[in-house]
Amino acid sequence: MKFNNVNGIWFFGLSGVGKSYASNLVFKKKSNSIIIDGDEVRKYISTDLDYSLQSRNIQINRIYGLAKIAIKSQIYPIISSVWMHNELAKKLYKEKIRLIKVDADMKQIFAEHNTYKNQTNVVGKDIKYGEIECTKITNKRNLEFWKTLEKLI
């Protein structure tokens, strides 16, 4: 598998679309890599944050810092987060970290995923993405998702 001269890969998208799945697929193929999952960073590092837009911006900046540390240590970061904004997307481009938005059938996700039920400050429900320059892929929960992903990395 080629990794197209990038220093890392960052998946973002709504809860339940398959970012962790994609991260694990890449992790199995890429040696000397680390998964930096936004949920894990929130659990162990960002315990002081809530889910407001301000906290989400702080969170992705912390994740970005961890990615930079990994790259400096010659480790390939595979990152996933729910939130993203164009200012950080531009930094990722300069750092050669490939940004990929993962989409899926949102009707199914909204029906199945507890994140979207009776909660506030939810990305995709209360908080919307702005225009973000990135690659976009759709997880249809089949082999085609992997084939598309493989072409991108």
Side-chain angles (χ1 to χ4, degrees):
M1 176 181 297
K2 296 184 238 170
F3 286 86
N4 294 329
N5 298 318
V6 294
N7 293 325
I9 190 166
W10 189 312
F11 297 105
F12 80 99
L14 301 180
S15 294
V17 296
K19 301 177 303 291
S20 295
Y21 175 72
S23 294
N24 285 312
L25 288 174
V26 175
F27 183 72
K28 289 177 184 175
K29 300 286 184 180
K30 178 66 176 151
S31 61
N32 201 37
S33 62
I34 183 173
I35 293 176
I36 302 173
D37 184 275
D39 291 338
E40 296 293 311
V41 172
R42 185 174 288 279
K43 181 178 177 181
Y44 297 113
I45 296 171
S46 296
T47 57
D48 58 323
L49 300 179
D50 58 22
Y51 292 89
S52 67
L53 183 56
Q54 180 182 3
S55 288
R56 289 179 183 283
N57 286 330
I58 293 168
Q59 167 75 347
I60 62 171
N61 283 326
R62 289 177 182 175
I63 294 169
Y64 175 64
L66 292 170
K68 297 260 306 176
I69 291 168
I71 292 167
K72 189 174 181 179
S73 300
Q74 299 181 338
I75 298 171
Y76 187 91
I78 303 162
I79 307 135
S80 66
S81 68
V82 171
W83 183 241
M84 180 54 60
H85 56 72
N86 206 40
E87 182 181 318
L88 180 57
K90 290 175 183 176
K91 288 180 184 179
L92 298 177
Y93 180 79
K94 288 179 184 174
E95 294 288 332
K96 295 184 178 180
I97 298 172
R98 179 142 210 178
L99 182 60
I100 299 175
K101 182 178 184 199
V102 181
D103 287 316
D105 177 356
M106 292 317 298
K107 286 182 183 179
Q108 182 179 0
I109 299 291
F110 288 151
E112 293 176 355
H113 209 279
N114 286 333
T115 299
Y116 302 101
K117 296 177 183 172
N118 302 318
Q119 295 189 32
T120 58
N121 289 324
V122 176
V123 176
K125 181 179 162 191
D126 308 307
I127 301 172
K128 305 291 184 189
Y129 297 115
E131 284 297 316
I132 300 170
E133 283 191 44
C134 63
T135 302
K136 296 174 182 156
I137 59 174
T138 300
N139 182 1
K140 295 182 180 176
R141 300 182 185 201
N142 61 22
L143 184 60
E144 202 61 38
F145 179 63
W146 172 244
K147 288 179 183 177
T148 303
L149 182 59
E150 192 170 34
K151 289 175 190 173
L152 295 172
I153 57 176

